[in-house]
Each structure stands twice: as C-alpha cells, then as structure tokens.
Amino acid sequence: ETGVTQTPRHLVMGMTNKKSLKCEQHLGHNAMYWYKQSAKKPLELMFVYSLEERVENNSVPSRFSPECPNSSHLFLHLHTLQPEDSALYLCASSRQGINNEQFFGPGTRLTVL
Amino acid sequence: DAKTTQPPSMDCAEGRAANLPCNHSTISGNEYVYWYRQIHSQGPQYIIHGLKNNETNEMASLIITEDRKSSTLILPHATLRDTAVYYCIVSFSGGGADGLTFGKGTHLIIQP
C-alpha cells in the first residue's frame, strides 16, 4: 500500500467504550499529525509528532491519548468520549526539513452515541 | 485562528480558469503560502506552495503579490472533479514539524 492509510474508516462507539484509531504511512516521513473535523467547523490540529516524540498538544482533552510507536504508525486512543466528539479524524504525515507538504489519510468517521 | 481570509464560495464554468483569491496581510517574512483542497468527506490534498515567487505545477499556478499580502490560486482549465473546498494556509516551511491552521476555505463549485 502507498500513501497514508487509516483504520477503521467508520466507527460507532458508546460513551463508556474504549477504542483506538490507527494511522499508517508508507512514505518514509518522520512527522505525523492528528486533526479533527467537526461538522461545519474548520479542521483543528490535535497532536503533532516529530521523530516519534510529541511536540504539540493543542489543548486536547485527556480522553484523547495519542501514541506514536515508530515513524510509520500513529494511534489515537479514545475513552469515555462525549457525543460532541463525533467528527472526522484525519491523520497526516510529512518529511521534516523539506517543506510542510502534508499527506492526509482518508479519515475515520467517528460517531459517539 | 487562521491568518488568511477567503471568500466562502465561488462558481466557475467547466473548462474556464478558476481564480481563487486569498488575503494574508499579516504574513511574516519566513512564512510560506500553502494551498490545499478537500473533496467532500476525503482528506485534504496538497496543491502548491510558495514564498514570494510565482509557482506552477501540474495542478495549478500560484500568484503572490509583491508585498506578499495576498495571493491567487489558478486552476487553468477547471473540470467537474475540481469541485472542492480550497484552503489557503500560511505556514513555516522546513525545520520542525508544523501543524497546519485551516480556516473555512472557499467552496469552489464547477458548473457544467
């Protein structure tokens, strides 16, 4: 596979569930990002990882927990979410030191009941 | 908050050039202008970026004014598949990993 992949593509969960979103990039990039896109709102940056270390946490609630075990994989662990957390969650990657051209995955459509 | 201002929507006839304006009057000297687009319910797609010179690639051309306070993205021969939300973003380039700050963008509708 090429590019940036995200699984699952769709997820429905209850407020007491624990789930994880997975992102994988096959581009040899060394920076990865999580964005959130709620209905009728601009994309919001959530987390930035550079060389597998978190470099930015954009005031995201602790019920969202990112993990970057290596430069190719990024996870977003979810627990005790609220219905207002329903959104499209997008992962992106880029190569530091070149430019800020970010490659986005197709996203995970999350619905919290 | 986004540092750019774009019209919320625009129409363009298929086959004509689509010119999308963007104001970024507070851009700093080491910030680049990036353009991305998002087709409905898909992830955003990089189009082009520039610092102060005009740029062209296989997708589009980017015209940046001499004072760098505004720019125009040009799609030379728009097709129906170019219908999307187009985002103009100012961002540092190179160095560390920088998250992108998206605004509301311009919803470009290509009419048959």
Side-chain angles (χ1 to χ4, degrees), chain A residues 22-41:
Chain A
K22 179 183 176 182
C23 174
E24 187 171 0
Q25 59 95 3
H26 308 270
L27 301 168
H29 291 167
N30 52 16
M32 298 188 78
Y33 313 79
W34 279 116
Y35 291 85
K36 173 185 177 182
Q37 188 170 33
S38 303
K40 299 184 179 180
K41 290 179 68 175

Side-chain angles (χ1 to χ4, degrees), chain A residues 12-105:
Chain A
V12 179
M13 60 186 289
M15 289 190 286
T16 58
N17 291 159
K18 289 184 179 181
K19 296 287 185 183
S20 295
L21 309 185
K22 179 183 176 182
C23 174
E24 187 171 0
Q25 59 95 3
H26 308 270
L27 301 168
H29 291 167
N30 52 16
M32 298 188 78
Y33 313 79
W34 279 116
Y35 291 85
K36 173 185 177 182
Q37 188 170 33
S38 303
K40 299 184 179 180
K41 290 179 68 175
L43 279 89
E44 302 170 77
L45 177 67
M46 300 176 73
F47 300 103
V48 179
Y49 274 83
S50 170
L51 301 172
E52 302 155 39
E53 289 192 16
R54 190 189 313 179
V55 297
E56 186 167 347
N57 175 354
N58 217 25
S59 302
V60 179
S62 59
R63 58 185 183 269
F64 296 91
S65 175
E67 178 190 2
C68 187
N70 56 61
S71 61
S72 298
H73 295 86
L74 184 66
F75 294 89
L76 188 63
H77 304 299
L78 317 170
H79 64 97
T80 59
L81 294 192
Q82 304 298 312
E84 58 264 30
D85 296 321
S86 299
L88 180 68
Y89 289 85
L90 291 155
C91 172
S93 69
S94 68
R95 181 171 296 162
Q96 287 181 229
I98 304 298
N99 59 50
N100 208 4
E101 178 183 350
Q102 295 186 15
F103 291 75
F104 284 79

Side-chain angles (χ1 to χ4, degrees), chain A residues 43 102 104, chain B residues 20 34-40 42-48 59-60 73 75 77-89 102 105-106 108 110:
Chain A
L43 279 89
Q102 295 186 15
F104 284 79
Chain B
L20 291 90
Y34 283 80
W35 283 84
Y36 284 77
R37 73 180 182 183
Q38 186 176 24
I39 296 170
H40 182 62
Q42 297 182 22
Q45 176 191 22
Y46 165 85
I47 300 172
I48 197 168
M59 290 183 68
L73 179 74
L75 308 178
H77 305 287
T79 71
L80 298 178
R81 288 177 295 181
D82 292 322
T83 292
V85 179
Y86 287 75
Y87 299 99
C88 170
I89 300 168
F102 286 82
T106 295
L108 175 66
I110 306 302

